[in-house]
Amino acid sequence: MTVTAPDEADLVVQARAGDAAAFSELHRRYRRSVEGVIRTQTRNASDVPDLTQETFVAAWRRLGSLRDEHRFRAWILQIARHVVIDHARSVGRRPVLTTDDALALDLTESTDPGPDELVDLIDLAAEVRGALDGCSRRDVVAITLVAQFGFGPTEIAEALGVTPNHAKVILHRARRRLRAAMA
């Protein structure tokens, strides 16, 4: 007898009915994605665990407001973006994309660059970070969703709350502005 894992929609329905184990499974499946979105939008890497927890607490409380059980991933990523924005407002700073030491270490371990290459990568990361600092939050989110998480236009649209065609336009313009800022 083969037992298949419940799909996202089934887990959402079960969690709405008060099944904490179902919500725990949703947490397990989407924690890394939520952390990634939060990490790209906050300056302080030490805020990521607290903001991730706050995101899932908010999702648990608002689970009844999710209209389409099949869109939990996009819905919780949107909650994560709002949690970061609310946090930034409360501490009086604007969230931006940063490259922390863990990401730099991941890059160096996977490609094993030499010292010269590492210096070039660090310089490039600083240049990209500087260019992204001048971009709007929406541009940063769109570029990050594609570059870091491999999102397509439909998923970007869900995360930003726009149509897929509008997401394509947002991404095209964001890339163009980033290229101009880097030039």
Side-chain angles (χ1 to χ4, degrees):
M1 179 174 155
T2 303
V3 177
T4 59
D7 73 359
E8 177 180 289
D10 291 337
L11 290 170
V12 170
V13 169
Q14 293 169 12
R16 276 187 182 155
D19 185 347
F23 192 78
S24 182
E25 175 61 18
L26 289 168
H27 177 270
R28 186 193 65 75
R29 288 183 186 183
Y30 298 109
R31 179 182 53 84
R32 288 188 188 264
S33 294
V34 168
E35 286 174 343
V37 167
I38 291 170
R39 188 175 291 112
T40 64
Q41 294 187 39
T42 186
R43 292 177 192 252
N44 190 350
S46 65
D47 289 338
V48 173
D50 290 339
L51 296 176
T52 299
Q53 180 178 354
E54 189 175 331
T55 297
F56 279 97
V57 168
W60 175 255
R61 289 182 181 151
R62 297 186 214 153
L63 202 51
S65 70
L66 176 59
R67 289 176 280 187
D68 183 353
E69 294 85 7
H70 294 91
R71 300 183 101 155
F72 180 81
R73 179 176 188 245
W75 179 73
I76 197 156
L77 294 179
Q78 190 168 25
I79 290 173
R81 287 183 339 109
H82 289 288
V83 164
V84 172
I85 291 167
D86 291 345
H87 174 72
R89 285 180 184 150
S90 72
V91 295
R93 59 187 163 145
R94 180 177 163 249
V96 296
L97 179 65
T98 63
T99 303
D100 60 8
D101 292 335
L103 178 59
L105 286 175
D106 286 345
L107 287 173
T108 59
E109 289 173 10
S110 64
T111 60
D112 197 28
D116 293 338
E117 291 174 89
L118 185 56
V119 168
D120 290 343
L121 286 172
I122 291 170
D123 290 344
L124 179 60
E127 187 178 333
V128 170
R129 193 170 43 251
L132 285 171
D133 282 343
C135 293
S136 72
R137 180 177 297 129
R138 186 171 71 175
D139 286 356
V140 172
V141 169
I143 290 169
T144 301
L145 291 176
V146 170
Q148 197 166 6
F149 300 106
F151 277 27
T154 303
E155 292 171 310
I156 294 170
E158 290 173 4
L160 296 177
V162 297
T163 66
N165 284 338
H166 191 199
K168 289 177 187 177
V169 171
I170 290 169
L171 183 59
H172 172 75
R173 290 178 180 166
R175 285 176 172 159
R176 188 178 63 211
R177 285 188 282 266
L178 180 60
R179 273 192 295 275
M182 302 256 326

